């Protein structure tokens, strides 16, 4: 019932049903929250009456009375959404305290200091969350009291001192909330429930949902639960724990607890907590009970559980159980282990790992051979390494990242207001907090490296610098963090590419046995091909030949070719390029022996191979202004004229792709010659080369027909001269709306289709990616004008509709037509899922995304099977 | 049976059936021609046998024998396609002559000179057409003979001299065709038939068909017909005539004839022929017979007939009848007259006029008030006036036209090899030939002005100049021709816009009563609107607001608006623009009172309102190079930075249209305010203003929804403040593939759709029109990679498919959704026909095209009705 009760409420209800020790309480459903929003942030009719009835039930169970000075019932009011959003929404603790119940609590517990402290905490939290008073005012007042009373920690403040703090707090409320702090527990409860509902739509929660693609219309449940206290002395404690290590996936109880503390003290990272293992020594009986409960819950839910508990005077209370967030490595290990433990099936294991997270495992780590200067070591809070420029607040991080800088966000500790900076940063460094601190949890969720609680790092937010290992790093200086070791390292350090763990290998093999879609890779060089093969690619879906033209030793020849005044001169330059291209293709075809390699003929407009118009214009203008003799800048002038001649208003929609080939057939003739000569040579070496030749930017069947006819002649010439046969095919990109709309015709001449979804998205939307993203597209996504960036996730109603038409109609013409996708969407799990639905043969993505795509393809297959069942 | 027999063959067959005097003959069908091509230019099986059988039939009818020296049968072998292609394909006359039949012919006719001349002509024509020998070689030999024998014309050459010419001709053939001239008539016939078949695909025929959109797979028929001779003395003649004047449509026999001449002499314009009226005096009996036949044929075919005839020794033979080509004015007059004469229905009249030709009537003519210097007067061969630079050959004309120059092609006379130059030119001037000469016929067909046979114009092709009225015009100098008066005029002369004739008014009123599609006009200013109304527009379909921004007095304010660093400053500039825009809209809404005016909000990228990046870069670089103090070029530098900031790789796909409005809502807010304030003012003046507000470049419903919601607020404010109500609607352009693909959604918020087919064509094809046309698109059309320029005629399989989906799905969401088209296609007859088929409400085109569109819409309606019947 997670939909209705939220994860937290459902977990508590389930634990209660199972007879586990849970403080009595009740949950207000997400439905009520949605009704609350529909009514303009007012409670739906009847809800409040039901709350009061449920509250009476809790009073009965606990024998306590809400607002009863003699035996006061105190409750927590917590948010709880269907999908966990740790720390994003608000919680109020100790609700029900006022001047009268405070006395009752003090007497009942015989611990006046505890009662005053609870009241102090309640006022602080309630005022901040429900009344909207700036939390720093209270922190400041507390700090002053501590200084005044020479108290090192809160615990050192006497009840009297706490009483003064409480008076001061109330004065703050009076001043900043323009009214008295509410003494009536019923009024407190009503206001707190409203505030928790409202926290569903606070900025950080909305940001978090956007980042994690959680729908905004789910709403939050509100759990009202009897308070239990972990801060009632040394036989009390509070803690959080995972049933397995969420970083590594190892099957050990993992977590932290703090004696004599309330839950927020652990999460906030204010005091450094003890490892959970210490509990076995310090509270052996409770530890055994807890360990058993943890095992039972994991078996019940068949997944890692993230548990919150409190020990009140030696009695264990379970406050929460939920599916535990974990690193990619842990997710993989746990999924594989649980199959081996017969807890889950292989299909479930494959579905348990978020494909995007696999990406983490494939991120860089620091080259072990590199000499590094470790400045400090903190907690290895989220694995992976990253370097970037130091930046000390979230806004600045976002700003610099938008300007294209790589940054590392450095904070003393983070809180939910820092999330947008964490999204922007390469990684996070904090000087305080544990592995379950906000920074650690959020960074792991994002798959970003994080070093937390690096206490020897002295962060100076004012001066925008930090000091560690005797060095000072100022804002904008580069440094490195390694979230796998906790190291903070000077400078930008050489990194190496990751390997795939045994468990990941296993998981991907299971995925391979499930999926129908092949996974190919885009790669232009033999080393790309090698990596792609290592990662499991089953072919090269896009080998861009123009990158080869850009290499330094070739560019002058390419330029000579472009500037040639006659076809004969152009041919001479092409003759020089031929052996080079042949070598390129030889390398990649050899590396991919036995697998198809789709080679795309030259695509970009020719001016891309020449210097920029602006640079040339400045050079020539300057030379002219300075009255230099024309001979000194004649070359630049000639180039300028040529570039002007090739200049286009909208080069994306200009002379490129097959249009270029139809205008200068000698260029693509050379390329086809190079491809087939390389294949012939490999055949002689008994290597199975499988070139497929792809003609780009076809919009009309006649473009394809003529280009292909021309190139078939070349192919026959090459093979005739060699006296041998090599298998090859001609196909086309489907990257223009018109190509998709006339696919039935185009399939007459195309032996395969490959969706170029980058260009197809550009033309379908009329977005030039280069221009659109910075100028308005990111803003569109942020403002939710568009549900997602269509260059990252396929736009199904528009681009997808064209693809569907092309698949259906292309195959009607040519049954069995092989169709793949080679745009960047080929590595995006949501888009892969659509490709599975369309029945494509393969997706092609960057080599590093191949494992992600293998897993996503398997999940897509399982989803389709489930739907069809 | 035009399909099978071609126009010529069908006409001859029909006349024979009607008992008219036609020389016996037979026709080989177009089917045979197509089979000939399928078999690799070989006769299909059985065809030749049928030809021989038919030939025997002709021998029987004429009593002559093919190759019989005593009574030789001579035949013509003529091409004849379904659609007339005058002069484009080949014809051989006098076939059947050889040394033996020559003697027979001489004896039989008692006219040795005639026989020798016929043989001479036959060798010349056959050798050129069938054997491929350069015709100039024969001309040269003939000229030499004339000089040698001091003969002024061919007719002055004695039989002996002609005998020498014949020997010389045969020697030329021997040398250049590497073989003897064929003496066997059967061999001659076989070769001639093949040559005529082959002439279907000669370059000029292919060019002609491309220009006139005639399919290439129709093939030509071949008519073999007994020769009759117009050159057998003064009682013989040959001529061509129209049953009505093809220039004006007046109901008088119109044409020319030449006594003692063969047909080619008239068409080629070598001798200047006599007006047909002279025949009434010179050959009264034959004239009466001819006049009766002409009337009979016109009644039979219910259309102007273009007749060819020959008088052999006083006997009239009809050689051809076909529908006569006519000027636009004549077409209109004839159509209207024939309705009045009860020859045809109104619907037929409407179908008789080519909509594109209406355009001619609407073209410019010379301002009668202008002082002009007439250099010469020739024949008014094709109406309308034009000026341009003199150019003396077709290739150069094409070249200069491609470079954007307006040119007038000047030739002594034109022939089919000049067609591409005529296509490129504004008009044509020839110094020889009549109103049925090649130049005249082709120019009329193209709707271009032509002055023909201006004998006082001395054309020097070598020196590339012509002399007339004592002045010499060199290549590249501007001059003017008036094809309605025949005047050749010095310099470029002021022109005025045409009026609509009474007959045209009548025809268009009939069209209006037939058509279903409304015809609207695109116009940005009140004077556009006025003209549009005069031409019959029923609304303004596209009023582009950005043109108003470009006006000189506004541009500085617009630039200030764009460069404003804050929204407040931008608003200040917009406040200055508001009254100006309000004035613009006031004017156009008032002009169009009672009719809808669709006003499109700002569309182009903002950099279009700023100086060019290149210019600024040059200025700043120069100033810097010269070491000027920065203060002197600070303004340019600031502008340069701003332009750089706004610069886009592909502005067509960048920050424009509704994207601009979402980023700077204050701009479109000002526009909507201006529109509605103007409407309010008009309402107070009791003027019925009907503004419709169009949001451009919508790709996603959310763009439209937000823009509209924002603007509705403004609209309500304006109307609220005015305390009045004005009807207005919000709609959108459908100009991106995604808009068409998601039209079902977009129709939720759009109150009307208008297809922006220019942009829709750009994005569907991935063609930037600015870049594509010059760089490859014209070439694509020439090479038939594309069947037509998709910016001129809607691409139905691609763009049209998107339109069809948008219409169907948009109306499914919003039944009765008003849909129009405002791209340039709105004035193209073929595209209008598709719009009728789609069931759009209106087409909108430039004001001058409105009459064309009215007629085209009626024809489209009739075509749909006929199809549905």
């Amino acid at each position: 019932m997670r939909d209705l009760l939220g994860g937290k409420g459902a977990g508590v209800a389930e634990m209660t049903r199972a007879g586990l020790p849970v403080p009595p309480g009740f949950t207000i459903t997400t439905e009520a929250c949605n009704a609350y929003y529909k009514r303009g942030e007012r409670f739906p009719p009847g809800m409040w009456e039901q709350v009061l009835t449920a509250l009476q039930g809790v009073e009965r169970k606990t024998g306590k009375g809400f607002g009863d000075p003699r035996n006061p019932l105190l409750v927590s009011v917590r948010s709880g959404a269907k999908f966990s959003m740790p720390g994003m929404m608000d919680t109020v603790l100790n609700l029900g305290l006022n001047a009268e119940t405070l006395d009752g609590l003090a007497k009942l517990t015989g611990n006046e200091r505890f009662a005053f402290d609870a009241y102090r905490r309640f006022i602080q939290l309630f005022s901040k969350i429900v009344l909207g008073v700036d939390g720093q005012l209270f922190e400041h007042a507390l700090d002053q009291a501590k200084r005044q009373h020479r108290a090192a920690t809160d615990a050192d403040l006497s009840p009297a001192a706490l009483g003064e703090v409480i008076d001061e707090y109330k004065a703050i409320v009076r001043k900043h909330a323009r009214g008295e702090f509410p003494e009536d527990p019923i009024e407190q409860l009503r206001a707190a429930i409203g505030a928790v509902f409202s926290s569903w739509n606070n900025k950080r929660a909305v940001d978090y949902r956007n980042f994690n693609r959680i729908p905004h219309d789910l709403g939050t449940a509100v759990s009202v639960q009897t308070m239990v206290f972990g801060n009632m002395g040394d036989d009390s404690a509070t803690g959080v724990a995972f049933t397995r290590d969420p970083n590594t996936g190892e099957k050990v109880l993992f977590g932290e607890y703090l004696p004599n503390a309330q839950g927020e003290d652990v999460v906030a990272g204010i005091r450094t907590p003890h490892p959970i293992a210490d509990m076995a020594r310090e509270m052996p009986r409770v530890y055994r009970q807890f360990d058993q409960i943890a095992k039972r819950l994991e078996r019940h839910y068949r997944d890692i559980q993230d548990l919150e508990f409190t020990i009140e005077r030696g009695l264990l209370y379970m406050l929460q159980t939920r599916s535990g967030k974990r690193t990619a490595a842990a997710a993989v290990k746990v999924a594989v282990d649980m199959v081996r433990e017969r807890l889950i099936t292989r299909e479930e294991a494959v579905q348990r790992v978020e494909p995007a997270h696999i990406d983490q495992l494939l991120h860089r780590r620091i080259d072990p051979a590199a000499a590094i200067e470790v400045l400090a070591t903190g907690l290895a809070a989220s694995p992976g390494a990253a370097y970037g420029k130091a930046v000390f607040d979230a806004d600045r991080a976002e700003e610099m990242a938008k300007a294209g800088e790589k940054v590392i966000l450095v904070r003393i500790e983070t809180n939910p207001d820092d999330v947008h900076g964490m999204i922007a940063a390469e990684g996070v460094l904090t000087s305080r907090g544990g592995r379950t601190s906000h920074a650690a949890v959020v960074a792991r969720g994002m798959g970003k490296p994080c070093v937390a609680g690096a206490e020897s790092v002295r962060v100076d937010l004012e001066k925008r610098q930090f000091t560690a290992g005797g060095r000072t790093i100022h804002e904008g200086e580069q440094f490195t963090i390694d979230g796998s070791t906790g190291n903070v390292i000077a400078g930008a350090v050489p990194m190496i590419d990751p390997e795939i763990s045994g468990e990941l290998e296993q998981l991907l093999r299971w995925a391979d046995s499930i999926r129908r879609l092949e996974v190919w890779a885009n790669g232009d060089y033999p080393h790309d091909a090698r990596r792609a093969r290592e990662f499991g690619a089953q072919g090269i879906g896009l080998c861009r030949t123009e990158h080869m033209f850009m290499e330094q030793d070739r560019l002058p020849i390419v330029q000579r070719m472009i500037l040639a005044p006659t076809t004969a001169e152009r041919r001479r330059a092409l003759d020089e390029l031929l052996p080079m291209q042949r070598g390129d293709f030889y390398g990649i075809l050899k590396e991919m022996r036995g697998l198809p390699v789709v080679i795309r003929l030259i695509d970009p407009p020719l001016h891309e191979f020449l210097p920029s118009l602006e640079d040339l214009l400045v050079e020539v203008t300057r030379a002219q202004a300075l009255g230099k003799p024309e001979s000194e800048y004649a070359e630049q002038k000639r180039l300028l004229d040529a570039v002007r001649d090739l200049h286009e208003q909208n080069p994306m929609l200009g002379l490129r792709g097959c249009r270029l080939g139809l205008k200068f057939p000698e260029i693509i003739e050379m390329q086809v010659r190079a491809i087939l000569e390389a294949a012939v040579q490999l055949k002689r070496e008994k290597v199975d080369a499988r070139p497929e030749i792809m003609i780009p930017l076809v919009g009309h069947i006649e473009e394809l027909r003529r280009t292909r006819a021309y190139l078939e002649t070349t192919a026959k010439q090459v093979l005739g001269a060699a006296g041998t046969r090599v298998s090859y095919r001609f196909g086309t990109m489907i990257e223009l709306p018109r190509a998709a709309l006339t696919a039935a015709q185009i399939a007459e001449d195309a032996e395969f289709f490959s969706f170029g979804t980058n260009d197809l998205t550009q033309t379908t939307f009329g977005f030039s990616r280069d221009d659109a993203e910075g100028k308005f597209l990111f803003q569109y996504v942020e403002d939710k004008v568009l549900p997602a960036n269509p260059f990252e996730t396929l736009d199904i109603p528009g681009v997808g509709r064209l693809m569907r038409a092309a698949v259906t109609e292309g195959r009607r013409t040519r049954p069995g037509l092989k169709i793949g996708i080679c745009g960047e969407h080929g590595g995006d799990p949501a888009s892969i899922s659509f490709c599975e639905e369309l029945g494509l043969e393969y997706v092609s993505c960057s080599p590093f995304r191949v494992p992600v795509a293998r897993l996503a393809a398997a999940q897509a297959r399982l989803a389709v099977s489930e739907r069809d069942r």
Side-chain angles (χ1 to χ4, degrees), chain A:
Chain A
M1 297 185 76
R2 291 168 58 93
D3 285 2
L4 264 188
L5 303 182
K8 201 174 288 176
V12 167
E14 191 87 357
M15 287 192 292
T16 307
R17 278 199 344 161
L20 299 184
V22 176
F26 59 88
T27 298
I28 305 167
T29 66
T30 54
E31 231 167 42
C33 175
N34 289 329
Y36 170 83
Y37 277 108
K38 275 208 194 89
R39 287 174 53 86
E41 312 212 358
R42 276 178 304 141
F43 290 159
M47 188 198 97
W48 179 243
E49 291 69 24
Q50 289 177 41
V51 165
L52 294 178
T53 308
L55 189 64
Q56 285 162 12
V58 175
E59 287 178 327
R60 268 197 308 280
K61 274 186 208 149
T62 55
K64 300 184 176 186
F66 196 54
D68 179 349
R70 288 158 309 164
N71 189 11
L73 170 64
L74 303 188
V75 297
S76 63
V77 179
R78 295 172 193 263
S79 60
K82 179 176 181 186
F83 301 107
S84 171
M85 295 165 54
M88 293 301 141
M89 288 181 298
D90 294 327
T91 289
V92 181
L93 302 176
N94 299 339
L95 190 136
L97 276 177
N98 55 22
E100 291 175 5
T101 54
L102 167 64
D103 284 347
L105 184 67
K107 281 182 197 133
L108 207 69
T109 59
N111 187 338
E112 200 181 9
R113 207 211 65 81
F114 156 72
F116 273 85
D117 192 46
Y119 193 32
R120 193 256 324 153
R121 287 169 187 265
F122 169 57
I123 297 174
Q124 182 165 350
L125 207 54
F126 186 94
S127 301
K128 182 180 166 196
I129 286 163
V130 183
L131 306 179
V133 180
D134 184 353
Q136 292 194 357
L137 297 167
F138 300 107
E139 291 288 358
H140 185 74
L142 185 63
D143 282 350
Q144 263 190 331
K146 283 196 280 189
R147 257 202 306 283
Q148 195 183 327
H149 296 281
R150 292 163 200 265
T153 72
D154 307 1
D156 299 330
L157 285 172
S158 68
L162 284 168
E164 285 167 29
V165 171
I166 287 164
D167 290 342
E168 178 61 25
Y169 276 15
K170 287 189 173 175
I172 290 170
V173 170
R174 204 170 298 119
K175 180 167 172 200
H176 292 275
R178 291 165 194 273
E180 289 297 326
F181 185 83
E183 292 283 300
D184 176 4
I186 290 289
E187 192 191 327
Q188 290 171 0
L189 181 62
R190 188 180 178 110
I193 291 170
V196 173
F197 277 163
S198 295
S199 71
W200 173 253
N201 274 342
N202 68 32
K203 184 176 180 325
R204 61 186 198 236
V206 171
D207 285 351
Y208 184 91
R209 288 199 297 271
N210 282 340
F211 185 79
N212 289 286
R213 303 251 165 88
I214 296 174
H216 293 288
D217 60 358
L218 296 177
T220 183
V222 181
S223 290
V224 178
Q225 201 173 13
T226 306
M227 284 297 300
V228 288
F229 296 97
N231 55 347
M232 287 185 78
D234 291 340
D235 57 351
S236 298
T238 189
V240 296
F242 288 79
T243 54
R244 305 194 185 204
D245 185 331
N247 293 311
T248 64
E250 213 188 329
K251 197 178 176 183
V252 292
L253 208 52
F254 174 97
E256 295 157 326
Y257 78 111
L258 263 178
N260 199 16
Q262 281 223 94
E264 71 200 66
D265 299 330
V266 181
V267 177
I270 291 167
R271 277 159 60 195
T272 300
H274 306 189
I276 196 94
D278 293 0
M279 219 170 104
R281 200 174 57 242
E282 291 174 10
M283 301 172 132
R285 193 189 49 78
V286 175
Y287 180 80
R288 273 197 305 278
Q289 185 193 2
F290 180 70
D291 189 40
Q292 274 168 6
I293 288 173
K295 288 200 170 71
R296 203 170 139 193
L297 285 168
E298 191 184 85
R299 267 199 311 278
H300 178 74
Y301 286 107
R302 301 161 68 240
D303 199 4
I304 303 191
Q305 294 299 298
D306 171 357
L307 308 169
E308 287 182 21
F309 62 94
T310 286
I311 301 158
E312 186 180 282
R313 292 183 172 168
L315 285 181
L316 173 67
Y317 289 99
M318 297 303 297
L319 300 183
Q320 179 167 321
T321 185
R322 59 181 170 190
S323 181
K325 298 233 163 200
R326 65 209 80 172
T327 63
V332 170
K333 180 165 167 48
V334 168
V336 172
D337 283 353
M338 284 189 171
V339 170
R340 289 175 179 153
E341 293 164 23
R342 297 179 191 275
L343 264 178
I344 60 175
T345 66
R346 291 176 176 188
E347 284 74 17
E348 283 174 306
V350 161
Q351 282 167 304
R352 281 283 168 87
V353 179
E354 185 69 51
H357 281 190
I358 292 283
D359 211 24
Q360 281 180 43
L361 298 179
L362 307 165
H363 275 156
R364 302 169 144 192
R365 57 196 175 98
I366 291 169
D367 183 350
I372 57 172
E373 183 190 354
V374 176
L375 303 176
T377 300
L379 296 172
S382 179
Y387 57 80
K389 293 183 173 174
V391 60
F392 293 84
D393 70 86
D395 288 346
R396 182 89 183 111
E398 196 175 57
E399 220 175 280
M400 288 175 64
K402 272 193 183 160
E405 307 266 29
K406 286 184 193 302
V407 299
I408 306 281
L409 180 64
V410 183
R411 300 287 285 164
I412 296 171
E413 54 187 317
T414 66
N415 66 49
D417 298 331
D418 292 317
V419 170
H420 64 290
M422 298 176 73
I423 291 173
E426 302 297 307
V428 184
L429 167 64
T430 65
S431 56
R432 260 201 277 179
R435 266 182 290 195
T436 50
S437 68
H438 178 268
V441 170
V442 173
R444 277 204 297 277
M446 291 179 181
K448 298 202 170 183
C450 175
V451 172
E455 296 186 32
S456 67
V457 170
R458 264 164 302 134
V459 177
D460 188 337
L461 297 177
E462 281 287 283
K463 292 194 181 157
R464 301 185 161 273
Q465 63 182 45
F466 74 82
T467 315
R471 283 178 59 154
T472 300
I473 309 289
H474 301 90
E475 182 164 273
E477 271 187 77
Q478 281 203 317
F479 78 108
T480 302
I481 57 171
D482 185 346
S484 308
T485 62
N487 283 340
V488 179
I489 303 154
V493 164
M495 307 259 172
I496 56 159
D497 299 327
E499 303 137 21
I500 295 186
S501 73
E503 277 95 356
L504 180 54
E505 287 274 21
Q506 179 61 71
L507 189 79
L508 291 174
R509 272 200 304 276
W510 290 337
D512 291 346
S513 71
I514 292 165
R515 69 188 159 92
R516 184 196 59 77
L517 271 173
E518 291 191 13
V519 176
W520 297 17
N522 299 345
D524 306 340
Y525 301 99
H527 67 257
D528 294 336
R530 195 173 319 125
R531 173 160 306 129
R533 262 200 117 124
E534 282 164 14
F535 279 141
Q538 295 161 280
I540 294 293
L542 178 62
C543 170
R544 280 164 292 232
T545 55
E546 55 268 18
H547 287 183
M548 304 167 177
F549 280 10
M550 290 288 190
E551 280 176 34
Q552 230 178 340
D553 54 332
R554 299 171 186 192
L555 200 52
I557 310 173
V558 171
Q559 293 184 346
R560 191 141 37 81
M561 184 269 285
I562 293 169
L563 300 174
T566 64
T567 306
E569 279 190 50
R570 186 171 310 109
R571 279 192 187 281
R572 271 196 292 281
L574 287 166
D575 287 347
E576 284 184 63
L577 288 171
L578 176 64
M580 299 176 180
Q581 283 253 295
R582 191 168 49 221
D584 297 330
F585 298 137
Y586 176 88
I588 200 160
L589 287 168
K590 187 169 186 178
E591 200 63 65
M592 293 303 288
R593 60 186 68 192
L595 295 176
V597 177
V598 178
I599 299 169
R600 181 178 70 183
L601 301 179
I602 187 168
D603 184 53
L606 294 182
H607 72 81
E608 288 195 10
F609 301 102
L610 298 178
S612 92
L613 178 62
E614 283 196 46
D615 290 350
L616 290 168
L617 190 59
V618 166
E619 281 183 54
V620 170
T621 304
R622 181 166 294 143
Q624 285 172 336
L626 297 175
K628 288 193 180 168
E630 209 174 312
S631 60
E632 276 186 31
Y633 59 91
E635 178 57 24
Q636 277 86 341
K637 183 121 187 8
R638 201 174 67 93
L639 265 173
L640 177 60
D641 290 343
V643 170
R644 273 231 175 89
D645 209 47
L646 291 170
H647 181 73
E648 293 178 307
Q649 294 296 314
N650 298 287
M652 235 282 297
L653 307 178
L655 184 58
R656 48 174 287 241
C658 67
R659 302 163 191 173
L660 212 50
L662 282 168
K663 186 153 182 166
F664 304 111
E666 54 276 11
I667 302 178
I668 53 175
E669 185 196 325
M670 179 279 284
Q671 294 196 301
V672 168
R673 183 171 291 278
I675 293 165
L676 290 173
E677 286 180 357
V680 164
Q681 190 176 337
L682 285 163
K683 179 155 192 196
R684 292 205 179 111
E685 296 170 16
K686 310 257 181 269
V687 174
D688 178 14
R690 301 193 182 174
E692 307 202 347
I693 298 163
M694 184 151 74
I695 296 163
L697 213 70
V698 164
H700 192 286
I701 171 66
E702 201 58 30
E703 294 176 309
L704 174 61
R705 188 170 286 156
R706 293 194 187 198
T707 307
R708 182 177 164 187
Y710 185 86
L711 295 176
E712 287 280 15
T713 310
T714 303
K716 292 207 173 74
Q717 274 172 12
V718 173
L719 300 184
T724 183
R725 279 167 57 180
V726 160
S727 93
Y728 62 90
R729 304 199 299 174
F730 280 102
T732 186
M733 301 277 280
I734 300 290
E735 54 184 336
L736 292 171
R738 199 179 186 286
L741 292 163
T742 61
Q745 280 193 301
I746 288 176
E748 289 169 17
D749 271 67
E751 294 176 290
F752 61 88
F753 279 0
S754 178
F755 285 110
T757 46
N758 296 352
D759 271 13
L760 192 59
T761 300
Q762 296 201 83
T763 43
T764 303
F765 274 88
F767 287 166
S768 161
R769 185 171 189 177
D770 291 336
D771 303 316
E773 290 198 330
K775 301 235 184 215
F776 63 87
L777 189 52
F778 290 144
Q779 196 64 41
Y780 262 31
V781 175
E782 201 167 315
D783 296 347
K784 288 188 264 173
V785 175
L786 293 180
N789 181 339
F791 293 108
E792 287 171 7
T793 296
L794 262 176
D795 160 56
I796 292 173
V799 178
R801 179 173 174 180
L802 287 173
M803 291 172 70
R804 194 185 296 276
V807 169
T808 310
E809 297 167 26
R811 289 208 174 125
R812 204 174 290 147
T813 299
R814 188 184 283 261
L817 178 70
K818 193 156 96 176
I819 310 181
I821 178 176
C822 65
E824 277 174 52
H825 304 95
D828 169 65
S831 308
I832 290 171
S833 159
F834 181 66
C835 293
E836 168 66 33
E837 206 191 295
L838 282 187
L840 302 196
E841 264 74 28
Y842 67 89
V843 296
S844 186
C845 55
S846 84
F848 274 104
R849 301 286 293 183
V850 165
V852 176
R854 287 163 68 192
L855 183 62
Q859 292 185 350
R861 185 62 184 166
L862 290 170
V864 166
S865 310
E866 265 166 38
R867 196 198 54 195
D868 293 350
R869 201 179 297 142

